[in-house]
């Protein structure tokens, strides 16, 4: 058997085309690109404004089962499907998120696909890329500095320092900064107070950038950020301390989507990256809407399993941006089905059809959930070399009982040639006019009822609980005019429940909402359940221990 190349070896051997050639495929002129080197560029805001009246192409969402240590390959399938659609004669663009440095140096690794279905330059995308995340971090922390400075110089807005809601951020996993005391050291340093850090991808500024339509909309949303409250509990906004203008300046270039390419030299937009369990987990609205004006098909993904990513894509991103998806792909693997069926990771290489059949309940739940949004579904089985024909057949037979097709995909090993069947099925679904997309709940439903609708309909919970303080807070926000906002559920990605160890398709469990946060600028209410951390920690043996430059100057261990 021939040696199998690693993802990074494959990416390094890619025959990339100059980014101007990739732009030309979409009708983007050289003068409308802002190059960052030879292989990546930002698309100018002027160009995006000029094409806004063009008709839209078709939108395809790639989502997945709940993630397992066995690996599912959602981004790999997203990239592969984009290449596959181009292979069968469709003009297709891939839209994915940027990678956070924290997970890259922690445990998760990079986020550019894998095998022969990757977006390149992979090393750049997983490191500083075009600086978007640094700009978001700087804009967020500018606001933090302005809040403390405003208080130091007399607190004209009457901010109650016990009720400051804005923390600081950095794009790294650092548990030591979760809770800190700031402004120690005497009068010259301000008023000591308890605060903390979140990871940059959990920042409301990240969510705002990803939901804004242009710079004017961005500035308004930044001004709408609630930074804290006065003693009478009235909100203080970022615009009240004149922070919105300077924050917008820092984000001017970051708002413009990044154009790169797949290994097969097809165009890909990589822009934005809100966490999927803390925030809404989708790439930017401006990247997706721009791609829709330039292509027949846009293939995008949503973070983690469909219970988080797809639900938020439909209920938050599509609602806010007026998008109507034409089809959805749910990614699954035989390995993950076995793990959901109770098999340990070290035993996944052994055929176990019974475990596959048992684990298919998780896949089935996701299929039924996506159907609730009126979007036609197909299952993509991401192939591993250890899969057997009997295991693949078991998944296909199970999915057929739900009235859905499951198609084996070999894009990791074969690129676009290995995913033609799925590409053709997606075209059949998307062009068949079957999509009757509608969000799960209406705008005017009370906030707690929205939470209940998601928990009971998508998670199959039996009950939703919350302390009186949480319910009172939701009613207060409704009275202040925030009742029509969608809800962003912060929940573990590993289970339909709030218990990460509960695999399969649990029913009747209790979802406890322990805290709610208002993201007034982004335009949603965050409901926090279980043990969700907005600042992750590093594992005992972080990936950073194995990342280094080799003698040739190449990066090793990043993926």
């Amino acid at each position: 058997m021939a040696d199998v190349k690693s993802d990074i070896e494959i990416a390094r051997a890619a025959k990339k085309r100059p980014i101007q050639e990739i732009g030309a495929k979409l009708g983007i002129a050289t003068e409308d690109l802002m190059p960052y080197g030879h292989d990546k560029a930002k698309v100018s805001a002027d160009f995006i404004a000029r094409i806004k009246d063009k008709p839209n192409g078709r939108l395809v969402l790639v989502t997945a089962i709940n993630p397992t240590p066995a690996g599912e390959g959602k981004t790999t399938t997203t990239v592969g499907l984009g290449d596959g659609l181009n292979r069968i004669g469709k003009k297709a663009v891939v839209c994915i998120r940027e990678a956070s440095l924290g997970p890259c140096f922690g445990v998760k690794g990079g986020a550019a696909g894998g095998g022969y279905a990757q977006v390149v330059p992979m090393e750049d995308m997983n490191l500083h890329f075009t600086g978007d995340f640094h700009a978001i971090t700087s804009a967020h922390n500018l606001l933090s500095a302005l809040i403390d400075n405003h208080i130091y110089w007399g607190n004209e807005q009457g901010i109650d320092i016990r009720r400051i809601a804005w923390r600081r951020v950095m794009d790294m996993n650092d548990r030591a900064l979760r809770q800190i005391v700031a402004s120690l050291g005497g009068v010259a340093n301000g008023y000591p107070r308890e605060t903390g850090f979140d990871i940059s991808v959990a920042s409301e500024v990240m969510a705002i950038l990803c939901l804004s339509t242009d710079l004017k909309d961005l500035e308004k949303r930044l001004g709408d950020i609630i930074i804290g409250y006065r003693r009478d509990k009235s909100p203080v906004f970022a615009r009240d301390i004149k922070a919105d203008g300077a924050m917008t300046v820092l984000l001017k270039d970051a708002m413009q989507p990044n154009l790169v390419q797949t290994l097969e030299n097809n165009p890909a937009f990589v822009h934005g990256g809100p966490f999927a369990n803390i925030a809404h987990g989708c790439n930017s609205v401006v990247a997706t809407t721009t791609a829709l004006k330039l292509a027949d098909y846009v293939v995008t993904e949503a973070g983690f399993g469909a219970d988080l990513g797809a639900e938020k894509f439909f209920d938050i991103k599509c609602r806010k941006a007026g998008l109507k998806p034409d089809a959805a792909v749910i990614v699954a693997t035989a390995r993950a089905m076995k793990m959901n069926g109770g098999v340990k990771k070290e035993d996944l290489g052994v055929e176990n059809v019974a475990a596959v059949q048992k684990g298919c309940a998780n896949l089935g739940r996701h299929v039924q959930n996506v159907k609730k949004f009126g979007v036609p579904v197909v299952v993509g089985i991401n192939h591993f070399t250890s899969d057997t024909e009997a295991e693949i057949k078991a998944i296909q037979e199970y999915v057929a009982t739900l009235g859905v097709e499951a198609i084996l995909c070999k894009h990791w090993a074969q690129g676009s040639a290995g995913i033609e069947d799925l590409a053709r099925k997606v075209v059949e679904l998307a062009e068949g006019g079957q999509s009757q997309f509608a969000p799960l709940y209406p705008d005017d439903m009370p906030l707690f009822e929205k939470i209940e609708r998601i928990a009971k309909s998508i998670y199959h919970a039996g009950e939703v609980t919350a302390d009186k303080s949480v319910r009172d807070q939701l009613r207060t926000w409704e009275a202040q005019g925030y009742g029509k906002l969608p809800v962003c559920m912060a929940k573990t990605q590993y289970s339909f429940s709030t218990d990460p160890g509960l695999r399969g398709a649990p029913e009747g469990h209790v979802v406890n909402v322990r805290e709610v946060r208002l993201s007034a600028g982004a335009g949603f209410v965050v409901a926090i359940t279980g043990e969700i951390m907005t600042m992750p920690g590093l594992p005992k043996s972080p990936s950073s221990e194995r990342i280094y430059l080799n003698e040739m100057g190449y990066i090793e261990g990043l993926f």
Side-chain angles (χ1 to χ4, degrees), residues 202-527:
S203 167
E204 186 179 350
V205 176
M206 173 69 81
I208 286 171
L209 181 128
C210 288
L211 290 169
S212 298
T213 53
D214 54 30
L215 284 172
K216 187 176 179 183
D217 184 35
L218 175 74
E219 185 167 16
K220 182 198 175 296
R221 288 173 178 270
L222 291 170
D224 286 342
I225 292 170
I226 294 174
I227 60 174
Y229 297 86
R230 300 177 180 88
R231 284 182 175 266
D232 64 2
K233 297 186 180 178
S234 61
V236 184
F237 298 94
R239 70 170 61 87
D240 293 333
I241 61 169
K242 302 180 177 62
D244 46 337
M247 292 173 73
T248 305
V249 169
L250 282 174
L251 296 168
K252 175 177 68 71
D253 291 342
M255 258 300 286
Q256 298 174 115
N258 307 298
L259 178 67
V260 285
Q261 62 192 289
T262 69
L263 291 177
E264 299 189 13
N265 310 122
N266 291 313
F269 283 119
V270 181
H271 195 217
F275 256 21
N277 50 2
I278 298 164
H280 68 288
C282 308
N283 75 298
S284 75
V285 163
V286 70
T288 304
T289 54
T290 300
L292 283 167
K293 302 297 181 185
L294 301 173
D296 302 327
Y297 279 84
V298 172
V299 183
T300 191
E301 66 174 4
F304 294 135
D307 56 319
L308 285 172
E311 186 273 317
K312 293 174 183 181
F313 177 83
F314 293 141
D315 279 329
I316 298 176
K317 181 174 177 176
C318 291
R319 183 193 304 263
K320 293 284 185 182
L323 299 172
K324 296 190 183 306
D326 295 281
V329 177
I330 298 177
V331 179
T333 65
R335 288 163 56 86
M337 293 299 93
K338 284 189 277 192
M339 194 161 247
N340 269 290
V343 174
K344 293 179 180 177
K345 187 177 180 180
E346 55 267 28
D347 298 328
L348 291 176
V350 179
E351 181 178 88
N352 192 330
V353 175
V356 169
Q357 291 169 330
K358 183 181 178 185
C360 276
N362 185 272
L363 171 60
R365 173 75 57 79
H366 288 297
V367 169
Q368 291 163 336
N369 282 348
V370 172
K371 282 184 170 183
K372 289 176 182 176
F373 293 92
V375 179
V377 184
V378 59
V379 171
I381 305 173
N382 184 22
H383 181 257
F384 280 72
T385 53
S386 61
D387 297 346
T388 69
E389 285 187 24
E391 289 173 340
I392 298 301
K393 187 179 178 185
I395 297 173
Q396 292 174 324
E397 289 177 347
Y398 172 83
V399 168
T401 66
L402 305 175
V404 171
E405 194 172 342
I407 297 173
L408 184 62
C409 305
K410 296 186 176 181
H411 48 283
W412 190 92
Q414 300 174 13
S416 62
I419 199 169
E420 280 191 53
D421 290 345
L422 181 64
R424 290 195 174 89
K425 183 64 181 182
V426 164
V427 169
E428 177 191 320
L429 292 177
E431 297 184 3
Q434 301 174 42
S435 181
Q436 301 291 321
F437 170 70
L440 192 66
Y441 51 80
D443 289 344
D444 55 7
M445 179 180 279
L447 290 171
F448 193 74
E449 288 184 28
K450 290 174 182 173
I451 294 170
E452 285 188 314
R453 174 70 62 88
I454 296 168
K456 292 182 177 180
S457 182
I458 302 299
Y459 310 157
H460 282 232
E463 183 184 5
V464 180
T465 60
D467 288 347
K468 181 177 182 296
S469 60
V470 169
R471 294 172 184 260
D472 288 347
Q473 181 65 80
L474 293 173
R475 281 191 282 267
T476 298
W477 289 334
E478 287 168 350
Q480 291 172 343
Y482 296 108
K484 292 187 183 299
L485 296 183
V487 168
C488 181
M489 299 292 288
K491 179 185 78 70
T492 178
Q493 65 269 35
Y494 298 114
S495 173
F496 278 106
S497 73
T498 58
D499 174 4
L502 195 56
R503 298 196 189 279
E507 294 192 3
H509 48 92
V510 175
V511 170
N512 177 250
V513 179
R514 61 180 176 85
E515 183 187 349
V516 286
R517 299 177 186 174
L518 175 58
S519 294
F524 53 69
V525 171
V526 181

